[in-house]
Amino acid sequence: MRIFESVQYDFWGKRRLGLIISSTLIVIALISLVYPGLEAGIDFKGGTEVVVETQTAIPPTEARAALNSVLGEGTEVKQYGDATELLIRTSTDTGDASEITNSIQTTLASSFAGSQPNIIRTDAVGPRFAEDLQRGAMLAVFGSLFVILLYIFIRFDWRFALGAVAALAHDVIIVLGLFALVHDLTPVTLMIDQTIIAALLTIVGYSINDTVVVFDRVREFANLFKTEPFESVANRAISSTLSRTFLTSFTTILVVFVLFIFGGEVLRGFSLSLIIGILVGTYSSVFVATPLVVLLRERFGAGVPKLASAR
């Protein structure tokens, strides 16, 4: 199946519109990362996290007021999926996990008649382990970007490498910024934990795959149409891969959307980050990565990309 079979869009002519859209999204994302900031899960914060199911819906604010007297003022309570499920998080110095779950169950049962609380999940992470996980997550993200930079440099040249890594950083910043902006406004749990880090690395992998396909075609056309301006070659390359880009992204999003609907609350943040990341990654491979390569060639010289033998 092929669509956009014979289209020739002027993507280079829309570079300023792309720059405005990307700049606006990145500024909003960076501001959101400062305030209100990301919501760290216990993987990176430490503490005890308990998911409680009740027979009747309990407003999180009322549950928090009841639990604060037992677990301390720092207790966080929010709805977790259904209205009858609560996510309760305590700090690392509250006590043993089994004592905490008993206190939660007893307090909710006595404060809300007929609630019959049932503990369905308990996670506890110590402060030192949380620091190790945080450090490991940062190394994984920045390490992957460095390896991709090296790979694209060897396979193409430094202009393509910078274009690809800039597009990946663009994707990761926008996804994280959106999480920071809406984590208090949505019933979906958007805490940053190991699952979300795995989603970010998946987005990086997906986005670079899409970008490399476009770069390959740019290199191929640059050697086929040597008399054409490079921006025209880039337009031709993006247009020729548009069908593949659209269909791959569309079918992947369909699968991830099914995971979002039926995967349960545990995977909802993961699948939502993938949906956003695939959309942003598809956009950046067309409107960020390739235009940056064209700009870098205009500014720093037009070396001929390595031939396909470098693959």
Side-chain angles (χ1 to χ4, degrees):
M1 179 182 177
R2 286 188 64 82
I3 54 176
F4 309 119
E5 185 70 35
S6 56
V7 296
Q8 287 294 327
Y9 292 119
D10 183 13
F11 294 100
W12 174 248
K14 300 290 187 297
R15 64 189 184 283
R16 288 189 175 82
L17 177 62
L19 178 65
I20 291 170
I21 292 173
S22 292
S23 301
T24 304
L25 290 176
I26 287 177
V27 168
I28 293 172
L30 291 175
I31 292 173
S32 301
L33 289 172
V34 175
Y35 184 82
L38 292 166
E39 182 182 17
I42 61 166
D43 289 352
F44 302 136
K45 195 175 179 180
T48 302
E49 201 171 80
V50 180
V51 177
V52 185
E53 183 182 42
T54 57
Q55 294 300 314
T56 56
I58 303 175
T61 50
E62 294 182 19
R64 186 184 304 115
L67 292 170
N68 274 345
S69 59
V70 180
L71 301 176
E73 291 296 325
T75 304
E76 300 174 28
V77 181
K78 63 186 296 184
Q79 185 179 321
Y80 186 74
D82 296 337
T84 56
E85 291 183 2
L86 293 174
L87 175 70
I88 300 165
R89 189 163 55 193
T90 67
S91 61
T92 54
D93 54 359
T94 306
D96 181 71
S98 60
E99 294 176 1
I100 292 171
T101 54
N102 288 335
S103 299
I104 290 172
Q105 211 162 5
T106 306
T107 304
L108 292 180
S110 60
S111 303
F112 303 95
S115 61
Q116 300 179 31
N118 179 38
I119 306 294
I120 58 176
R121 201 187 85 196
T122 304
D123 295 314
V125 177
R128 178 166 295 182
F129 190 57
E131 288 177 10
D132 289 343
L133 288 176
Q134 199 172 29
R135 192 179 307 113
M138 292 181 67
L139 284 174
V141 173
F142 287 108
S144 65
L145 291 178
F146 176 74
V147 170
I148 287 169
L149 177 73
L150 196 61
Y151 167 70
I152 300 294
F153 173 72
I154 293 171
R155 183 165 174 172
F156 296 90
D157 65 28
W158 66 271
R159 304 171 191 82
F160 286 79
L162 284 183
V165 170
L168 294 180
H170 164 279
D171 301 343
V172 171
I173 289 171
I174 289 176
V175 172
L176 287 177
L178 192 61
F179 270 48
L181 187 65
V182 303
H183 70 77
D184 275 339
L185 307 175
T186 170
V188 179
T189 304
L190 298 180
M191 290 181 297
I192 304 301
D193 53 17
Q194 292 186 82
T195 307
I196 299 301
I197 296 301
L200 292 179
L201 294 176
T202 306
I203 291 167
V204 167
Y206 181 90
S207 183
I208 193 61
N209 182 54
D210 213 24
T211 302
V212 165
V213 170
V214 178
F215 281 1
D216 262 336
R217 193 58 59 89
V218 171
R219 178 172 59 184
E220 179 187 342
F221 284 179
N223 287 288
L224 282 175
F225 306 101
K226 293 181 179 177
T227 57
E228 287 190 12
F230 191 72
E231 57 268 26
S232 173
V233 170
N235 267 335
R236 190 191 288 265
I238 296 173
S239 297
S240 70
T241 56
L242 203 57
S243 176
R244 179 263 176 205
T245 300
F246 177 81
L247 289 175
T248 305
S249 300
F250 178 69
T251 52
T252 308
I253 285 178
L254 276 184
V255 174
V256 179
F257 186 70
V258 171
L259 184 67
F260 177 78
I261 297 296
F262 299 106
E265 189 60 30
V266 174
L267 293 178
R268 203 149 283 163
F270 174 82
S271 47
L272 181 62
S273 59
L274 284 185
I275 291 172
I276 299 167
I278 291 169
L279 289 172
V280 177
T282 303
Y283 159 82
S284 71
S285 67
V286 173
F287 289 100
V288 177
T290 307
L292 269 177
V293 173
V294 177
L295 285 172
L296 289 170
R297 281 173 61 91
E298 281 186 351
R299 189 170 184 82
F300 297 103
V304 178
K306 297 181 181 71
L307 293 173
S309 58
R311 295 175 191 175

